[in-house]
Amino acid sequence: MSPLLSNPRARARALSSAAALAALALLSACGNAADGASDGQDTDGSGGGVAAEAGAFPVTIEHEFGETTVTEAPERIVTLGVTDADAVLALGAVPVGHTGYPFFENGLGPWTDDLVGDAETTLLESEAEPNFEQIAALEPDLIIGVSSGFDEAAYENLSQIAPVLARPAGTAAYAVPREDATASIAAAMGVPEKGEQLNAETDALLEEVRAEHPEFAEMTGGVVLPYDGKFGAYLPGDARGQFLVSLGFRIPEEITERDTGESFFVEVPAENVEWLDGDVLLVLSDDEDYDVVEAAPVFADLDVVREDAVVVATIEQRGAITYNSVLSIPYAVDTLVPRIADALA
């Protein structure tokens, strides 16, 4: 599996047939009578807005494709960004539909369990593009696609269904910083102060980690995904690289100097694994017993391997740093940071 496939970065495309567009318009206008929600009642156990802060609406938010105005607190939210559901849940609502990374059966990490509870939410089909008909059938009053990659044509089609919040202008698809994503989603939900609070609490937690482990600031650390006999080394702009940097580590210079600005990772051939050498190496694999030396014997020559400072993340830990949200970061701090510290002891 390549880093590309492990992170669903396929750009959304517009509907290509007139028939599909007609069905979309019909669903947007009339809703789906079969779901029993045409009277505006929440019948599937999910949805329901949060109490908006005073003066929060109307709010106009600028983004990559222009601006979107939300006039009242949304009650049926669909999240198309792979990590957007985390922010919505942290802010007090359960989305009626969501996407997510394939680490978890329902697209949601274990850090969301208590917040979702018994509410029903639909895992949306979004391998290559938004499923417009499926989204329209959920009758959303807000569609959030901050941590997403759909294009302007898809944005226009989605806007036929409900107001759409896209990623901030000037940010790359799937590369919106956690702070910006949380703030944008909180504003659209009418709780900007709560968004600021969540970001501040997360920043404070990471600051606490750095204070407890000042040695991290003097060290280099890499995050890699093995695939097809090669290794994808994540850059500081990617969520996985961001997490390691947020602990105080520096990504190895051999990796950052190869950043072309066109990808979220650097391809490392097996014969060049010395680029990954440093103080710690975090490996993301489907196999929690993965052995880097067995995969590429040249790893045995690296100091990080000789010092036994290779950490193979569990699937849950891998998911937590990939989501890199206000909900998943505390999970990663609790479960992964101690393993990193032990490897460096």
Side-chain angles (χ1 to χ4, degrees):
M1 180 187 298
S2 75
L4 187 62
L5 292 175
S6 74
N7 186 343
R9 294 182 176 251
R11 298 301 179 94
R13 300 184 297 275
L15 282 174
S16 58
S17 69
L21 281 168
L24 169 63
L26 178 62
L27 284 167
S28 178
C30 303
N32 186 348
D35 71 5
S38 59
D39 61 358
Q41 298 299 310
D42 179 23
T43 61
D44 62 1
S46 57
V50 297
E53 296 163 7
F57 295 108
V59 60
T60 299
I61 304 172
E62 296 182 354
H63 53 71
E64 181 71 8
F65 306 119
E67 60 181 33
T68 294
T69 297
V70 183
T71 58
E72 58 186 0
E75 295 190 352
R76 295 182 63 82
I77 300 172
V78 162
T79 60
L80 298 184
V82 285
T83 66
D84 293 345
D86 275 15
V88 170
L89 287 161
L91 292 163
V94 179
V96 295
H98 66 91
T99 59
Y101 287 107
F103 305 115
F104 311 111
E105 185 176 356
N106 66 350
L108 299 173
W111 49 87
T112 68
D113 291 348
D114 291 341
L115 294 173
V116 174
D118 295 330
E120 296 179 12
T121 183
T122 299
L123 180 60
L124 297 168
E125 300 170 8
S126 60
E127 286 296 322
E129 64 180 19
N131 185 321
F132 300 99
E133 295 182 26
Q134 186 185 25
I135 294 166
L138 292 171
E139 296 186 313
D141 50 18
L142 177 65
I143 299 170
I144 298 175
V146 174
S147 179
S148 184
F150 55 73
D151 61 17
E152 188 167 6
Y155 168 79
E156 295 297 337
N157 282 324
L158 290 167
S159 296
Q160 296 179 43
I161 302 172
V164 181
L165 179 64
R167 65 184 183 273
T171 58
Y174 303 100
V176 179
R178 178 258 307 167
E179 298 92 332
D180 295 342
T182 305
S184 181
I185 293 170
M189 292 176 61
V191 285
E193 292 182 5
K194 188 169 184 179
E196 291 178 7
Q197 178 185 351
L198 287 170
N199 274 332
E201 290 173 351
T202 307
D203 288 341
L205 175 62
L206 292 169
E207 178 62 32
E208 182 180 332
V209 172
R210 292 192 294 270
E212 291 177 352
H213 298 283
E215 70 275 15
F216 290 174
E218 305 298 324
M219 297 180 174
T220 59
V223 188
V224 298
L225 178 76
Y227 73 102
D228 298 337
K230 302 183 290 292
F231 300 87
Y234 293 107
L235 291 161
D238 178 84
R240 289 146 287 204
Q242 285 177 24
F243 177 76
L244 209 56
V245 170
S246 73
L247 301 182
F249 291 97
R250 301 182 308 279
I251 301 298
E253 187 175 339
E254 291 276 12
I255 299 301
T256 57
E257 69 183 9
R258 289 175 168 80
D259 181 6
T260 64
E262 299 177 352
S263 182
F264 58 100
F265 73 100
V266 169
E267 181 179 293
V268 181
E271 61 270 21
N272 295 121
V273 296
E274 71 274 7
W275 300 350
L276 300 169
D277 208 358
D279 296 290
V280 68
L281 182 63
L282 182 58
V283 179
L284 311 183
S285 172
D286 294 333
D287 179 7
E288 295 177 8
D289 296 320
Y290 183 84
D291 186 331
V292 292
V293 175
E294 182 178 328
V298 289
F299 265 110
D301 296 328
L302 272 58
D303 289 338
V304 70
V305 174
R306 287 196 291 260
E307 294 295 328
D308 198 23
V310 177
V311 178
V312 181
T314 67
I315 292 298
E316 291 79 12
Q317 291 163 355
R318 174 182 171 186
I321 67 170
T322 303
Y323 278 71
N324 199 37
S325 72
V326 293
L327 289 183
S328 71
I329 287 174
Y331 183 94
V333 166
D334 287 344
T335 66
L336 183 56
V337 170
R339 296 188 61 202
I340 294 173
D342 287 346
L344 292 168

